[in-house]
Amino acid sequence: MILYYDKVGVTKEELEKVDRTNPYNVVGAFIQTISSYDGSDKFYDLVQYLVGDYQPLSALMKQQIKDRMSQNDKSSYIGKSYFKGATPDNDYNPTLPIQLEVTENIYSDVEEGYKKLFVKSGGADNERGITVRLAKDGNYYVWSDSFMGLLSDIRKPESTNPWA
């Protein structure tokens, strides 16, 4: 499924308008959220909203997110790297209109109530997965720390390459 956005990044008010009965929308909202990373409590409030009150973010989880986002100075481009057209060659600037492709495969529906979806980063060789879980309220929530793989390293933007 391809999701379309007017801009990169998201606010709490925009997240509250997302139809969370659709698991693809929740994954898209998470990518938009990591594109908004600034290390503030406001950012962690956005993540908490997507994982839900059933799974409070611990201080350890917040530190792990911070460590992943600050590792190799990728916080300014890791989120953008998942949008179509965003590659190291163009410093991860997505093409317009801004699009995010979220896919599934044979492993997406292995366990009832859970859905594992995949997104491709322009700076990585393989798709990366994230799992969402359907709650009793009919909404999907990002499950546990399944999103940590999305924060793994990718190739640096070309403008930072001292050898090119």
Side-chain angles (χ1 to χ4, degrees), residues 1-5 22 24-29 98-102:
M1 169 178 266
I2 296 183
L3 304 170
Y4 295 88
Y5 299 100
N22 180 327
Y24 293 87
N25 290 343
V26 175
V27 171
I98 299 169
Q99 302 172 53
L100 175 68
E101 185 171 11
V102 182

Side-chain angles (χ1 to χ4, degrees), residues 27-42:
V27 171
F30 189 81
I31 297 298
Q32 283 284 63
T33 297
I34 62 173
S35 298
S36 304
Y37 178 79
D38 62 4
S40 70
D41 288 341
K42 188 172 155 184

Side-chain angles (χ1 to χ4, degrees), residues 28-111:
F30 189 81
I31 297 298
Q32 283 284 63
T33 297
I34 62 173
S35 298
S36 304
Y37 178 79
D38 62 4
S40 70
D41 288 341
K42 188 172 155 184
F43 167 78
Y44 292 107
D45 288 344
L46 299 178
V47 175
Q48 184 64 68
Y49 181 76
L50 292 173
V51 300
D53 294 334
Y54 312 115
Q55 308 173 92
L57 287 178
S58 67
L60 176 60
M61 177 59 69
K62 290 178 183 179
Q63 185 62 48
Q64 289 174 331
I65 293 169
K66 179 182 176 186
D67 290 348
R68 286 271 179 113
M69 293 299 280
S70 59
Q71 180 183 35
N72 296 324
D73 298 320
K74 67 179 172 246
S75 64
S76 65
Y77 58 87
I78 186 74
K80 292 190 312 182
S81 79
Y82 292 102
F83 296 111
K84 284 190 165 258
T87 65
D89 293 339
N90 67 10
D91 289 341
Y92 294 107
N93 289 307
T95 55
L96 297 175
I98 299 169
Q99 302 172 53
L100 175 68
E101 185 171 11
V102 182
T103 61
E104 58 182 87
N105 64 25
I106 60 171
Y107 303 106
S108 292
D109 295 308
V110 172
E111 192 171 352

